[in-house]
Amino acid sequence: MKTKITELFDIEHPVIQGGMHYVGFAELAAAVSKAGGLGIITGLTQGTPEKLANEIAKCKDMTDKPFGVNLTFLPSLTPPDYPGLIKVIIEGGVKIVETAGRSPAEYMPALKDAGIKVIHKCTSVRHSLKAQSVGCDAISVDGFECGGHPGEDDIPNFILLPRAADELEIPFVASGGMADARSLVAAMALGAEGMNMGTRFIATEEAPVHENVKKAIVNASELDTRLIMRSLTNTERVLANPAVDRLMEKEKALGDKLTFSDIVDEVAGVYPTIMMDGDMDAGAWSCGMVAGLVYDIPSVKELIDRIVNEAEEIIQSKLKQAV
Ligand SMILES: Cc1cc2nc3c(=O)[nH]c(=O)nc-3n(C[C@H](O)[C@H](O)[C@H](O)COP(=O)(O)O)c2cc1C
């Protein structure tokens, strides 16, 4: 398939794997890029510029196709070394960066001077317009359905995507709730130039996470996610489990008095234990409603080929016959 996004990033299929903490390692990013999509390494999981440089080098050994690095800008008392991370991205020859969390304005000159294309992921039309105005090349429009941080507006993709199409001049992909060929065709009908998937890519053979994580996604239904940390204006969509139940009990009891320190046991530093050790109840971990549409654990290539082939089939037969 050819869209503005495949042309912008020089990829074969308009399918992107969004950055994911403790999931977006070189193994997954390379598998997605090799299969013709755009794989993305998660910068902050590496933590230091040295470790990110090694992960970029590892990914380059695994594929000669384009891949990107995600930089998530989080509110933090001790912020990560973003200039250092950007330096190794540039030195490593990476040509695509996915930004998220807040506006990348501060880092745009460095990224643009190095010829890097920036796709900013955000959850509203106003943030998309801001990203466009600071020089981003594309947007990943992340609807309310998404795993991770859906923002505070709660606008699902059936509204958000056509609203983005009505306002934006730069191309965008649909993110949140995307799982299969139907998602891709629908996203394109709503104005997107492709799609970004998180949760669906975790349940693949190459995702370097414990089997329990993949099985938890396959076993979950669309009813099994919860929104946490709303009162901290840091809403996150996670898979329900006993730790999330505990956290939500505290939210109910403390209301607006809840502080981060009240829930630190359920959210801080839990990703390695969950993703690497497969201790699924160790804390809250991001997961999209789309888990209800994930029925298997294919290879990344099988998944992407299936999406693209079935999308072409839907467009050529079903949609053509309707007119
Ligand atoms: C386990 C997990 C971890 C994630 N970590 C990050 C992250 O570190 N930075 C980021 O920008 N997005 C992160 N995301 C969001 C994804 O990149 C993507 O936008 C989202 O999963 C799309 O929604 P979907 O899960 O319905 O496909 C994460 C998502 C999941 C499921």
Side-chain angles (χ1 to χ4, degrees):
M1 289 172 102
K2 251 203 178 82
T3 72
K4 287 178 186 162
I5 283 293
T6 60
E7 280 172 19
L8 181 68
F9 295 137
D10 194 20
I11 52 176
E12 209 180 324
H13 307 305
V15 178
I16 301 178
Q17 165 251 314
M20 286 182 281
H21 198 36
Y22 277 92
V23 183
F25 293 98
E27 289 84 353
L28 181 60
V32 173
S33 289
K34 264 202 265 191
L38 179 69
I40 294 184
I41 293 172
T42 317
L44 291 196
T45 303
Q46 300 303 321
T48 65
E50 293 71 27
K51 286 185 182 158
L52 179 58
N54 289 339
E55 201 68 11
I56 290 170
K58 188 171 166 189
C59 198
K60 279 191 139 175
D61 282 345
M62 298 170 105
T63 181
D64 52 12
K65 296 277 179 67
F67 63 88
V69 173
N70 168 286
L71 285 179
T72 304
F73 303 116
L74 297 168
S76 167
L77 289 176
T78 47
D81 178 8
Y82 290 114
L85 294 171
I86 289 172
K87 188 163 176 275
V88 300
I89 289 171
I90 295 169
E91 287 169 359
V94 173
K95 290 290 172 208
I96 301 158
V97 164
E98 177 195 51
T99 53
R102 66 176 156 77
S103 168
E106 191 182 339
Y107 303 105
M108 287 304 285
L111 294 168
K112 290 277 105 191
D113 284 352
I116 289 174
K117 293 188 176 125
V118 179
I119 178 163
H120 182 63
K121 186 167 56 193
C122 56
T123 58
S124 72
V125 173
R126 66 186 181 286
H127 293 139
S128 303
L129 287 169
K130 168 79 186 168
Q132 176 176 274
S133 76
V134 302
C136 290
D137 300 276
I139 307 287
S140 205
V141 175
D142 217 12
F144 181 53
E145 304 89 335
C146 73
H149 293 272
E152 312 301 326
D153 290 351
D154 302 355
I155 309 296
N157 268 334
F158 248 91
I159 310 296
L160 193 58
L161 298 173
R163 279 287 300 124
D166 287 346
E167 302 267 348
L168 283 175
E169 279 157 29
I170 55 174
F172 66 94
V173 296
S175 178
M178 304 288 128
D180 53 31
R182 295 169 299 184
S183 321
L184 179 57
V185 176
M188 290 175 71
L190 294 170
E193 300 283 333
M195 69 178 179
N196 177 65
M197 301 193 295
T199 303
R200 170 67 269 199
F201 272 125
I202 304 177
T204 57
E205 282 170 12
E206 292 92 335
V209 299
H210 198 281
E211 279 302 306
N212 290 353
V213 185
K214 304 180 189 188
K215 285 187 190 144
I217 291 173
V218 171
N219 292 335
S221 90
E222 64 277 20
L223 301 174
D224 293 333
T225 70
R226 301 288 180 267
L227 293 174
I228 60 168
M229 296 192 283
R230 180 125 270 191
S231 64
L232 300 177
T233 330
N234 185 30
T235 302
E236 182 179 0
R237 186 180 296 285
V238 297
L239 193 69
N241 67 20
V244 170
D245 290 344
R246 245 181 2 254
L247 186 158
M248 292 180 82
E249 279 301 316
K250 293 184 207 174
E251 289 186 325
K252 205 167 152 194
L254 294 169
D256 287 346
K257 293 197 184 70
L258 183 91
T259 63
F260 187 73
S261 57
D262 295 314
I263 55 170
V264 74
D265 289 348
E266 284 79 24
V267 296
V270 296
Y271 268 72
T273 319
I274 293 164
M275 296 297 173
M276 306 289 109
D277 307 340
D279 180 356
M280 299 317 298
D281 297 337
W285 58 282
S286 296
C287 178
M289 286 175 155
V290 75
L293 287 170
V294 177
Y295 309 113
D296 59 358
I297 305 173
S299 72
V300 165
K301 183 167 167 42
E302 278 164 4
L303 176 65
I304 292 184
D305 284 351
R306 189 205 295 168
I307 290 172
V308 175
N309 293 336
E310 290 180 8
E312 284 172 6
E313 172 72 18
I314 295 172
I315 296 164
Q316 301 288 1
S317 56
K318 189 171 177 186
L319 297 188
K320 255 201 184 133
Q321 277 163 25
V323 290

